[in-house]
Amino acid sequence: MINQAFSLSATSVFSAALSREFRATLRLAGPVVAAQLAHISMSFVDTVMVGRLGPEALAGVALGHTVFFFFAIMGMGMVRAVGPMVSQAVGAEAPAAAGRSVRQGLWLAGGLGAVVLLILSAIEPVLRWTGQEPATIDGATAYLDAIRWGILPFLGFAALRSFVEGLSRPLPVTIIAFIGVGVNIAANEVLMFGYWGLPALGLAGTGWASTIVFSVLFGLLALFVHRTAPFADYEVFTRLREPDAAYLRELVWVGAPMGASRGVESSLFMVTTVMMGTLGTTALAAHQVALQCAAFAFMVPLGIGMAGTVRVGQAAGAQDEAGARRAGGMAMGLATLFMAGTATLFWTLPRPIVGLYLDLSDPGNTEVIALAVQLLGVAAVFQLFDGLQVAAHGALQGLKDTRVPMGIAVGTYWGIGLVTGYLWGVRGGGGPEALWWGLVTGLAAASVLLLARFHRQVGRAVRKEAVPTDANGAAPPASAVEVPAEGETRSG
């Protein structure tokens, strides 16, 4: 009887803890997911509005968008190291460490933005070398020449967003993101098609619209952080002054593998897009439509994964192993469950979904629509793995375990996904569908290995990743933290 009573009590406590974690994750993930959906809505708007210009323009924006966001997402991955550093500092009750982290995040954003701007300024010869159709290159170049100026505010916004979400207060980001959607629609309409005496800029117009939106997002969030409590208490801008070398090194130590992982994942889609372009304009246009559908759905598990980073990081900072394990498991479960729902929609309603982007009654779109419907069938399969892998990645970032996941990303996305897609789709003649099955294999392998990594690592990471503080409540820089043994990550 005693054993039975103890067992029931333990089960009740566990169920209550799981229920609390479920509610806490949803409270945090809800606004984060909404913000992600607002951001991807901008790409959705771009694709729909460019679709009015025809398949050739759609192919151009597909290539340009993929190239820009490859660099942007890689930079954002590095800058978003602010998130786990702030959340662990919050869990350890070290506010000075949180403030230092976000300030260095802004310095890092500025440096990375300048580098990306230079790269995009000289990207046209590389695009021509890939063998894309000339009209596609011309459209992509016009788009990139405009949107490249938005990279600095884009990365600055990512740093401030990571700070705000690391404090478990994501709602301001959500509100500002939806303001950005409205600005994007208006700017696209005016600049792409020409109103109020302005020339119709076409693809260049949508690039300039994105630059305007990124600037508005950063400006609004910077003003909010500077003027509103509790964010103003961290004196992000009043104490910005100059780089803090020790904290900047810590940020790069944690963030570089995060950026590399995101870059490797993005390159899986970027190189697939480039290979798709060698198969013709129809293949590239259909790929853009199907990829936008998948990307829209992906925003939900991505937002859940970001919430998981914060929840796991706060538990790790408080040295709560059970809490960290629950938080990571909850994020992965919710992400996978949602993607199972979207996969069902892709399987059962592919044509109406494609109709959101292209006029189904236009004979000029017939081939693109038919191929996009086929690609959505494959996308339904990789949805499941994509949701799991991004949530597992988020949970590991909460532990500041970033180097081994980077290696997993390289091995699975490049070694498995790209190789499979190239050998089957390009060399083997399998065509666009085979390229997408390459995406499936890479994401499936990544999800399994990242899940296993989290369950193996969470205990030792929590024990080693306490955030010790000095007398002023500041965490010591990287150089003051015990160096892990050879072969271990910084988290253990």
Side-chain angles (χ1 to χ4, degrees):
M1 289 291 293
I2 294 176
N3 288 338
Q4 185 178 13
F6 178 80
S7 177
L8 289 173
S9 176
T11 301
S12 177
V13 169
F14 177 77
S15 298
L18 204 60
S19 177
R20 285 195 300 272
E21 184 60 45
F22 176 75
R23 291 193 300 271
T25 300
L26 286 186
R27 277 197 303 270
L28 180 56
V32 176
V33 167
Q36 288 304 122
L37 290 174
H39 285 305
I40 197 63
S41 293
M42 298 177 200
S43 295
F44 170 77
V45 167
D46 290 348
T47 301
V48 170
M49 297 183 79
V50 170
R52 289 156 59 183
L53 301 176
E56 195 172 82
L58 197 57
V61 81
L63 182 61
H65 183 275
T66 301
V67 170
F68 175 81
F69 279 98
F70 166 70
F71 292 105
I73 289 173
M74 188 161 54
M76 183 178 68
M78 287 190 67
V79 169
R80 284 194 67 86
V82 169
M85 291 181 69
V86 168
S87 62
Q88 287 206 9
V90 169
E93 299 182 356
R100 290 184 185 182
S101 297
V102 67
R103 285 192 287 274
Q104 299 321 298
L106 289 172
W107 278 101
L108 181 60
L112 290 173
V115 172
V116 173
L117 181 59
L118 290 174
I119 292 172
L120 292 178
S121 298
I123 200 72
E124 182 179 355
V126 178
L127 296 181
R128 296 199 181 279
W129 173 79
T130 62
Q132 306 293 304
E133 295 188 10
T136 300
I137 297 293
D138 292 341
T141 301
Y143 174 82
L144 288 169
D145 283 346
I147 197 174
R148 60 180 170 154
W149 299 103
I151 189 63
L152 285 165
F154 178 90
L155 295 179
F157 177 78
L160 293 179
R161 176 182 177 175
S162 298
F163 165 57
V164 171
E165 292 174 352
L167 296 181
S168 296
R169 296 173 180 266
L171 186 59
V173 173
T174 305
I175 295 171
I176 290 171
F178 276 99
I179 292 173
V181 174
V183 173
N184 188 52
I185 293 172
N188 263 326
E189 189 71 25
V190 170
L191 296 175
M192 286 178 63
F193 302 105
Y195 289 96
W196 302 325
L198 294 174
L201 299 177
L203 290 187
T206 195
W208 283 116
S210 296
T211 292
I212 291 170
V213 170
F214 297 151
S215 300
V216 169
L217 292 176
F218 174 70
L220 290 177
L221 189 55
L223 183 64
F224 182 84
V225 166
H226 183 58
R227 300 290 296 274
T228 309
F231 312 105
D233 298 338
Y234 292 85
E235 300 180 307
V236 171
F237 293 101
T238 56
R239 299 182 62 187
L240 191 57
R241 293 192 299 271
E242 60 186 36
D244 180 332
Y247 267 77
L248 191 55
R249 283 196 301 270
E250 177 75 4
L251 192 69
V252 171
W253 175 270
V254 175
M258 291 172 60
S261 296
R262 286 290 167 237
V264 170
E265 182 181 1
S266 296
S267 70
L268 174 65
F269 294 94
M270 182 182 74
V271 176
T272 299
T273 298
V274 171
M275 290 191 291
M276 195 73 72
T278 65
L279 302 179
T281 299
T282 297
L284 188 55
H287 171 76
Q288 172 67 3
V289 171
L291 192 59
Q292 280 296 305
C293 295
F296 202 94
F298 177 72
M299 290 302 104
V300 175
L302 178 60
I304 293 171
M306 291 176 177
T309 298
V310 174
R311 294 293 301 164
V312 171
Q314 290 178 351
Q319 294 188 283
D320 178 5
E321 178 183 340
R325 197 176 292 277
R326 271 196 309 273
M330 182 62 66
M332 287 182 267
L334 288 174
T336 305
L337 182 63
F338 174 83
M339 291 300 251
T342 61
T344 301
L345 289 177
F346 285 4
W347 271 319
T348 57
L349 299 170
R351 191 172 174 84
I353 292 173
V354 172
L356 296 173
Y357 296 86
L358 295 171
D359 183 356
L360 298 179
S361 63
D362 186 347
N365 293 332
T366 302
E367 292 184 7
V368 176
I369 291 168
L371 182 54
V373 167
Q374 293 175 16
L375 296 182
L376 273 186
V378 185
V381 179
F382 90 66
Q383 288 285 97
L384 302 173
F385 300 116
D386 208 12
L388 177 56
Q389 66 86 21
V390 75
H393 234 133
L396 287 165
Q397 288 171 6
L399 300 175
K400 293 201 282 190
D401 180 20
T402 56
R403 277 168 166 69
V404 170
M406 176 186 67
I408 290 173
V410 171
T412 55
Y413 300 148
W414 287 354
I416 297 177
L418 281 180
V419 170
T420 301
Y422 175 71
L423 293 178
W424 186 3
V426 179
R427 294 293 297 274
E433 279 191 272
L435 285 174
W436 273 62
W437 280 114
L439 298 177
V440 172
T441 60
L443 292 170
S447 64
V448 171
L449 293 175
L450 290 170
L451 175 62
R453 174 69 182 177
F454 177 77
H455 284 293
R456 176 180 178 275
Q457 194 71 4
V458 62
R460 65 173 69 183
V462 168
R463 289 190 293 273
K464 289 189 177 183
E465 279 296 345
V467 182
T469 59
D470 60 22
N472 297 317
S479 58
V481 181
E482 181 181 353
V483 177
E486 185 176 358
E488 299 266 289
T489 68
R490 191 173 179 77
S491 305

